[in-house]
Amino acid sequence: MFKKLHRVVFASALAALLTLGTGWPSPALAKGPPSGFDALPQQQRVMVDDLEKRTFQWFWDSADAKTGLVPDHYPSESFASIAAVGFGLTAYGVGVERGYITREQAVERTLTTLRFFHDAPQDDSEDGATGFHGFYYHFLNMKTGKREARWVELSSVDTTLLLGGVLFAQSYYDRPTAKEKDIRELADAIYRRVEWTWMQPRAPLISMGWTPGGMFIPHDWQGYDEGMLVYVLALGSPTHPISDDAWSAWSKTYPRTWGEFQGKTFLNFAPLFGHQYSHSWIDFRGIRDAWSREHKLDYFDNSRLATYTQRAYAIANPGHWTGYGENVWGLTASNGPGDIVVKASDGSTRQFHGYIARGAGMEQIVDDGTIVPTAAGGSIAFAPEIVVPALMEMKARYGHAIYNQYGFVDAFNLSFDGKVAPTVGRIVPGMGWADTKQLGIDQGPIVLMIENWRSDFVWKVMRKNPYIRKGLERAGFTGGWLDQAEQ
């Protein structure tokens, strides 16, 4: 019903192969990732530098100058994605710190964006509004700023990803100038307006969304997935906070995905975006809630394990897809060649997909041979020692087809031979299928997590935000930076 709704999952014929295992490379995961961008060989530093800058440039070039809206995909005609706007608002701060743009440029772009969202119409009309009860529609028309179409839901998680960027702006632009003061006030007003309790038809859980025609989506955010950030922001609200028991209600479903995959036991979520989105803004290193204290595993370490299992899955390659290996891996929500069945000369068939939440984990495998660079790139802070070599090799092998002025294209597939025309993207002779554009929600984790790995930049900014701190504390998190004095 809802186009590109990430929580839609698909059964896979490969699920029976879940029991296949593989060896694990060193170093021991429990000790955490080695740090040090500066310690990389020069060629790798140059590559990561280049990728970060190009990925930032995608946001800077694609955003609408009058509204600040960021397209779902670009370059090509597209509707806006409010989640992509959240990543963009944060990327502008990265751009300032890296010297890609001036602080003044970032202030102007951020003010434009926040003014749009603050002033945009909020009501229950089918076609005339941008949001309702403080939430926003998942996709907006790039020209009008209104709901793109009637298949678009008022999205709790995409509003939350937007708010990640809004709250970043509130904490980052801290100078005593009139414009930066306006940013802080607008950001505060946008966040305070969100009526989290309204989005709880089955409290204490939070619904995935609402539509004027169909009302509340009959599914709630239950762990473990990108909904983590939804609950943190809903718990931190000074105006419409959800109840204290919401976090335990969200996390009590963890047991269904706690288990072994590829030889390691961790909290599974098959697509890597679920391990990246909340971490793009919140530093989960060393802070633990009741669940992670019991399991002696913080959420950052859990995401590190998830990253390693994806690499292990690619090495095992139970689906026998072309090109998979120790440095060519990564499954997450992305574009693909299309919903196409291809018959081989031996009579066997291969099922390919368009946009879908690809992934590999204990509960499910959704894999059609499509590799998504953000799966690795957005996990660089978790496991740089395996991510950087993967990015290097994918670019070295296939860069002519998958790396352009905005970094990696969204996805590529070495098993799609072009005997049937793809729905999107193009056939690259001698290689396979490659997308021709980037998606904002896949570009975002790349640039934010590169910078988090390099400097802790976004994490440091967000540690200062009182709403983030309050939400984490109400969820029961303690330890690490949370136990330090507020900065």
Side-chain angles (χ1 to χ4, degrees), residues 29 57 105 118 152 154 243-244 281 342 386 400 410 432 457:
L29 298 179
Q57 199 66 42
Q105 287 176 300
H118 182 270
V152 177
L154 194 77
S243 61
D244 290 338
W281 285 283
V342 176
I386 62 171
H400 65 286
D410 191 54
F457 168 61

Side-chain angles (χ1 to χ4, degrees), residues 95-295:
V96 174
E97 298 300 307
R98 284 285 148 212
Y100 307 150
I101 56 174
T102 66
R103 190 176 181 97
E104 290 72 24
Q105 287 176 300
V107 164
E108 290 297 337
R109 175 69 62 82
T110 300
L111 262 179
T112 294
T113 309
L114 296 184
R115 284 169 178 158
F116 167 79
F117 281 97
H118 182 270
D119 298 340
Q122 291 245 341
D123 59 53
D124 62 355
S125 64
E126 285 278 9
D127 309 305
T130 299
F132 191 42
H133 287 277
F135 293 91
Y136 295 93
Y137 284 103
H138 190 163
F139 299 122
L140 304 175
N141 186 283
M142 284 290 292
K143 295 179 180 178
T144 68
K146 308 284 181 63
R147 182 187 188 192
E148 167 65 13
R150 293 194 177 186
W151 51 262
V152 177
E153 84 283 13
L154 194 77
S155 172
S156 54
V157 71
D158 291 278
T159 295
T160 295
L161 297 174
L162 168 64
L163 291 173
V166 170
L167 294 181
F168 168 85
Q170 181 188 42
S171 292
Y172 179 63
Y173 299 101
D174 56 1
R175 296 182 180 176
T177 65
K179 289 184 177 179
E180 295 202 15
K181 181 181 178 183
D182 284 348
I183 286 176
R184 295 192 294 273
E185 291 178 349
L186 287 167
D188 200 59
I190 291 169
Y191 176 63
R192 285 172 174 266
R193 186 169 58 188
V194 182
E195 296 180 33
W196 301 98
T197 50
W198 173 78
M199 192 63 83
Q200 290 187 293
R202 295 165 293 273
L205 296 174
I206 297 175
S207 173
M208 290 185 177
W210 175 90
T211 61
M215 308 308 285
F216 286 103
I217 294 174
H219 301 287
D220 299 314
W221 288 107
Q222 300 184 55
Y224 168 77
D225 51 34
E226 73 276 26
M228 179 183 293
L229 189 62
V230 176
Y231 285 93
V232 171
L233 294 193
L235 286 164
S237 172
T239 50
H240 304 282
I242 58 177
S243 61
D244 290 338
D245 59 345
W247 186 265
S248 60
W250 137 266
S251 59
K252 76 176 183 180
T253 55
Y254 283 4
R256 75 184 187 196
T257 58
W258 170 258
E260 184 178 311
F261 180 63
Q262 293 295 332
K264 291 294 176 181
T265 301
F266 66 107
L267 195 55
N268 283 243
F269 183 72
L272 275 177
F273 74 81
H275 298 276
Q276 296 170 349
Y277 284 179
S278 298
H279 292 257
S280 294
W281 285 283
I282 298 178
D283 182 3
F284 284 100
R285 296 173 300 176
I287 65 171
R288 297 186 178 186
D289 63 352
W291 178 89
S292 49
R293 284 191 291 272
E294 178 184 350
H295 290 79

Side-chain angles (χ1 to χ4, degrees), residues 389-431:
L391 296 175
M392 290 287 293
E393 186 153 339
M394 287 188 282
K395 182 184 176 186
R397 286 191 188 184
Y398 314 115
H400 65 286
I402 68 170
Y403 197 85
N404 59 30
Q405 70 185 105
Y406 297 124
F408 286 104
V409 297
D410 191 54
F412 63 98
N413 191 311
L414 305 173
S415 299
F416 191 85
D417 58 14
K419 292 179 182 177
V420 178
T423 304
V424 298
R426 65 190 178 107
I427 297 299
V428 180
M431 190 198 90

